[in-house]
């Protein structure tokens, strides 16, 4: 009987194996009620109908946010229950999605995709200055659009936006969580029992009073999220916010962002920028979000409705821009979208140059899985432009081609170029043999290739 009352609460999470704890920075840990652990789906777990069993790779890796009830923490437990309810309900690309979970009278577990705290991610980032600013601009775009969804579409107030409520996935995408204090716009905001969160309190909600503390500000209730977005910006560039007075000094916030930042932390809630207006201003000329990186990501999201000329122009210009893009986002977001654009979006051979450049970020197995099938398929194309692009860029990918793929799937198609009426194609075909010869089998190099060379000499 005693074993029942003292059993491990994680046993309730039957489909997942909880792994090591992810440590928040101490200043951030004291501002959240959650413990964060990595976890993975058990191989024997039951998946939704129509879903194949995942291999032990990134597809089976998750995070779990947990709260264990202790005597005297009734209020915090209610906050955790509120977070559980809201997280299950809200669906948005920039809100961390509920995958599974447990709620009982002793514990709360919320399982999501594998993430790490934003503070940890920024601290460990190895990107250069240009890549880092691009990364942050896209991250703020994501959080602001998530807040606009919460405020405008769901008629809710998040009420807890800060460094402890933003997380980053493998692709470098920022995701919002921390919904424990969220409430309806027309409802009374729940009391925050963690005094460490007082530094994020907007003036109209401050118990110490202020210009607006005695006014009826219910109609501008979502202004608290705009204020908190300003606090998040301060923390991204300066570290954990020590107190509300620190907001007056922008510190390391880039000059292009300072004006919109100050408009977010206006003491009057009715004068603050809404998240959507913040994005719109930042996207204007010389704005913090007016850059090639966000332009690229937004174009890829809408690529299905772009015409052929727009796609060709986009892919032709993309290659030279990639050096300033964050590597994680390139590898796990842009590259998959390029592959999808080729497979389903009629992107054509113009996608090859950026595809091969991003392919350098992949290990050998990833390259063979993602890039080689595209190459093999393109070599079967009769389009001269495609063939010429492949021949001119063969040196970029030939080392990843196995001898069997070259001899059985690529060589027969390349040989068609020996008889092409276009001199450039014939010359490119001849030059390609220098790169392919080391992997050609006896028959292809001594019989088939010699036939074509003899015909050219006649």
């Amino acid at each position: 009987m005693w074993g029942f009352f003292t059993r491990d609460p994680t046993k309730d999470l039957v489909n997942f194996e909880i792994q090591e704890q992810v440590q928040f920075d101490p200043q951030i840990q004291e501002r959240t009620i959650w413990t964060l652990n990595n976890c993975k789906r058990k191989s024997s777990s039951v998946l939704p109908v129509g879903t194949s069993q995942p291999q032990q790779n990134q597809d089976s890796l998750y995070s779990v946010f947990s709260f264990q009830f202790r005597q005297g923490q009734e209020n915090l437990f209610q906050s955790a229950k509120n977070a559980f309810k809201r997280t299950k309900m809200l669906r948005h690309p920039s809100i961390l999605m509920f995958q599974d979970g447990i709620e009982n009278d002793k514990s709360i577990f919320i399982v999501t995709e594998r993430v790490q705290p934003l503070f940890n991610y920024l601290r460990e980032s190895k990107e250069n200055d240009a890549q880092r600013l691009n990364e942050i601009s896209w991250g703020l775009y994501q959080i602001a659009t998530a807040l606009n969804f919460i405020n405008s579409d769901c008629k809710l107030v998040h009420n807890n936006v800060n460094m402890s409520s933003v997380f980053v996935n493998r692709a470098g995408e920022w995701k919002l969580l921390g919904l424990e204090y969220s409430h309806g716009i027309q409802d009374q905001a729940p009391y925050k029992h963690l005094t460490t969160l007082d530094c994020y309190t907007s003036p109209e909600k401050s118990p110490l009073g202020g210009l607006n503390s005695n006014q009826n500000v219910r109609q501008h209730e979502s202004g608290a999220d705009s204020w908190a977005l300003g606090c998040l910006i301060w923390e991204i560039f300066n570290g954990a916010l020590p107190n509300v007075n620190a907001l007056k000094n922008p510190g390391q916030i880039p000059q292009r962002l300072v004006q919109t930042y100050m408009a977010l932390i206006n003491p009057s809630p009715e004068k603050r920028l809404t998240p959507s207006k913040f994005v719109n201003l930042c996207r204007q000329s010389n704005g913090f979000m007016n850059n090639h990186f966000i332009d690229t990501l937004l174009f890829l999201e809408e690529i299905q409705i772009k015409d052929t000329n727009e796609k060709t122009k986009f892919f032709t210009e993309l290659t030279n821009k990639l050096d300033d893009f964050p590597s994680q986002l390139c590898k796990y977001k842009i590259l998959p979208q390029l592959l999808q654009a080729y497979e389903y979006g009629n992107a054509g051979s113009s996608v090859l140059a950026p595809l091969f450049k991003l392919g350098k970020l992949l290990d050998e197995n990833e390259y063979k899985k993602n890039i080689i099938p595209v190459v093999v398929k393109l070599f079967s194309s009769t389009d001269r432009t495609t063939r010429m692009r492949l021949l001119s860029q063969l040196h970029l990918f030939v080392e990843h081609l196995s001898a069997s793929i070259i001899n059985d799937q690529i060589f027969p198609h390349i040989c068609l170029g020996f008889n092409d009426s276009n001199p450039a194609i014939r010359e490119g075909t001849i030059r390609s043999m220098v790169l392919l010869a080391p992997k050609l089998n006896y028959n292809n190099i001594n019989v088939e290739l010699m036939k074509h060379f003899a015909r050219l000499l006649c």
Side-chain angles (χ1 to χ4, degrees):
M1 179 177 179
W2 287 110
F4 173 80
F5 289 105
T6 59
R7 70 188 182 92
D8 184 356
T10 64
K11 298 298 183 183
D12 292 328
L13 208 62
V14 295
N15 289 333
F16 297 88
E17 176 186 334
I18 296 183
Q19 301 173 311
E20 70 278 4
Q21 182 176 343
V22 177
Q23 298 294 335
F24 288 90
D25 181 270
Q27 295 181 81
I28 304 302
Q29 180 66 72
E30 64 183 11
R31 300 178 185 187
T32 179
I33 66 174
W34 301 103
T35 298
L36 175 61
N37 287 76
N38 291 329
C39 68
K40 67 177 182 179
R41 186 181 290 275
K42 295 177 181 177
S43 58
S44 60
S45 63
V46 178
L47 297 175
V49 175
T51 304
S52 60
Q53 189 70 38
Q55 302 297 317
Q56 289 303 310
N57 53 27
Q58 285 291 337
D59 294 332
S60 63
L61 302 182
Y62 297 85
S63 289
V64 57
F65 296 80
S66 61
F67 181 88
Q68 305 298 326
F69 175 76
R70 293 181 178 84
Q71 195 67 31
Q73 292 187 337
E74 290 80 4
N75 292 321
L76 293 180
F77 194 48
Q78 288 303 313
S79 298
K81 286 186 173 184
N82 186 43
F84 186 87
K85 178 183 72 173
R86 300 289 191 195
T87 305
K88 286 185 69 174
M89 177 183 72
L90 295 176
R91 290 290 185 269
H92 185 273
S94 296
I95 296 176
L96 197 51
M97 183 180 290
F98 181 95
Q99 301 285 350
D100 202 342
I102 296 291
E103 177 185 10
N104 56 41
D105 59 355
K106 292 295 181 183
S107 55
I108 302 286
F109 294 95
I110 299 174
V111 178
T112 71
E113 64 178 301
R114 176 66 62 88
V115 291
Q116 62 176 309
L118 174 61
F119 190 95
N120 298 26
Y121 181 81
L122 293 176
R123 180 184 59 197
E124 297 164 7
S125 174
K126 298 179 181 179
E127 309 289 4
N128 61 40
D129 290 344
Q131 293 170 332
R132 185 178 177 86
L133 286 177
N134 278 330
E135 185 174 53
I136 292 173
S137 68
W138 177 243
L140 286 174
Y141 179 94
Q142 292 178 294
I143 299 304
T145 53
L147 282 177
N148 181 61
F149 169 76
I150 290 171
N151 295 162
S152 301
D153 297 339
C154 302
K155 307 301 180 185
L156 297 171
V157 181
H158 184 281
N159 199 32
N160 189 34
V161 180
N162 56 69
M163 193 69 88
S164 72
S165 59
V166 181
F167 299 85
V168 185
N169 67 9
R170 180 178 66 153
E173 303 240 64
W174 294 17
K175 306 282 185 174
L176 188 60
L177 199 64
L179 291 156
E180 46 267 31
Y181 308 112
S182 59
H183 62 92
I185 284 182
Q186 297 301 320
D187 299 333
Q188 183 69 35
Y191 183 75
K192 298 180 182 180
H193 294 273
L194 291 181
T195 58
T196 49
L197 296 174
D198 290 348
C199 60
Y200 303 116
T201 303
S202 54
E204 70 275 12
K205 293 180 175 293
S206 172
L208 300 178
L211 292 175
N212 301 288
S213 60
N214 296 318
Q215 299 175 14
N216 181 10
V217 295
R218 186 61 56 84
Q219 60 179 322
H220 302 291
E221 189 72 25
S222 61
D225 281 348
S226 295
W227 174 276
L229 180 59
C231 295
L232 175 64
I233 291 172
W234 194 96
E235 290 191 307
I236 288 168
F237 292 100
N238 298 295
L241 183 66
N243 54 66
V244 69
N245 291 327
L247 295 172
K248 299 175 182 177
N249 179 11
Q252 300 300 313
I253 297 175
Q255 191 60 41
R256 286 193 302 158
L257 187 56
V258 169
Q259 185 175 356
T260 45
Y261 158 74
M262 295 303 294
L264 288 171
I265 60 168
N266 191 302
S268 302
E270 67 274 12
K271 295 181 180 180
R272 289 177 202 146
L273 292 178
T274 63
S276 62
K277 288 181 178 178
F278 167 72
V279 169
N280 290 337
L281 283 176
C282 286
R283 288 287 290 155
Q284 291 180 6
S285 178
N286 202 40
F288 185 65
M289 297 178 186
N290 184 18
N291 56 58
H292 292 312
F293 183 54
I294 292 183
D295 292 342
T296 296
L297 294 172
L298 295 181
F299 186 97
L300 287 170
E301 288 183 356
E302 301 176 346
I303 196 167
Q304 298 298 332
I305 62 174
K306 303 295 184 180
D307 62 38
T308 302
N309 290 334
E310 288 177 308
K311 293 176 185 176
T312 300
K313 182 177 184 293
F314 170 77
F315 290 122
T316 301
E317 297 175 350
L318 178 59
T319 306
N320 293 331
K321 300 173 183 176
L322 292 173
D323 289 335
D324 288 336
F325 291 3
S327 58
Q328 289 295 100
L329 277 150
C330 282
K331 182 177 179 179
Y332 295 113
K333 183 173 178 66
I334 296 179
L335 179 57
Q337 289 183 313
L338 292 185
L339 292 168
Q340 189 174 34
Y342 167 75
E343 189 70 26
Y344 305 109
N346 193 28
S349 60
S350 60
V351 76
L352 284 177
L355 195 64
F356 290 146
K357 187 164 186 174
L358 292 181
K360 296 177 181 178
L361 300 173
L362 303 178
D363 62 33
E364 190 63 25
N365 289 333
E366 292 171 327
Y367 198 99
K368 289 180 178 178
K369 177 183 177 181
N370 295 295
I371 307 297
I372 297 304
V374 174
V375 170
V376 171
K377 185 175 181 179
L378 284 171
F379 266 112
S380 65
S381 171
T382 57
D383 178 68
R384 280 196 172 98
T385 302
T386 299
R387 186 174 293 272
M388 197 65 225
R389 283 178 172 166
L390 284 168
L391 292 173
S392 64
Q393 299 178 79
L394 182 61
H395 64 284
L396 297 176
F397 58 87
V398 67
E399 64 180 292
H400 301 286
L401 298 172
S402 66
S404 61
I405 287 178
I406 288 176
N407 285 282
D408 301 336
Q409 300 182 59
I410 292 179
F411 182 75
H413 294 296
I414 286 186
C415 284
L416 297 175
F418 285 117
N419 301 319
D420 200 284
S421 59
N422 187 319
I425 296 289
R426 294 200 302 271
E427 179 183 348
T429 302
I430 295 171
R431 291 180 180 274
S432 71
M433 294 302 135
V434 176
L435 297 173
L436 296 177
K439 295 186 179 182
L440 292 179
N441 60 31
Y442 179 88
N443 184 68
N444 281 336
I445 196 169
N446 290 297
V447 180
E448 297 300 325
L449 184 57
M450 290 304 106
K451 287 180 182 178
H452 291 292
F453 281 169
R455 189 177 297 113
L456 290 171
L457 293 173
C458 292

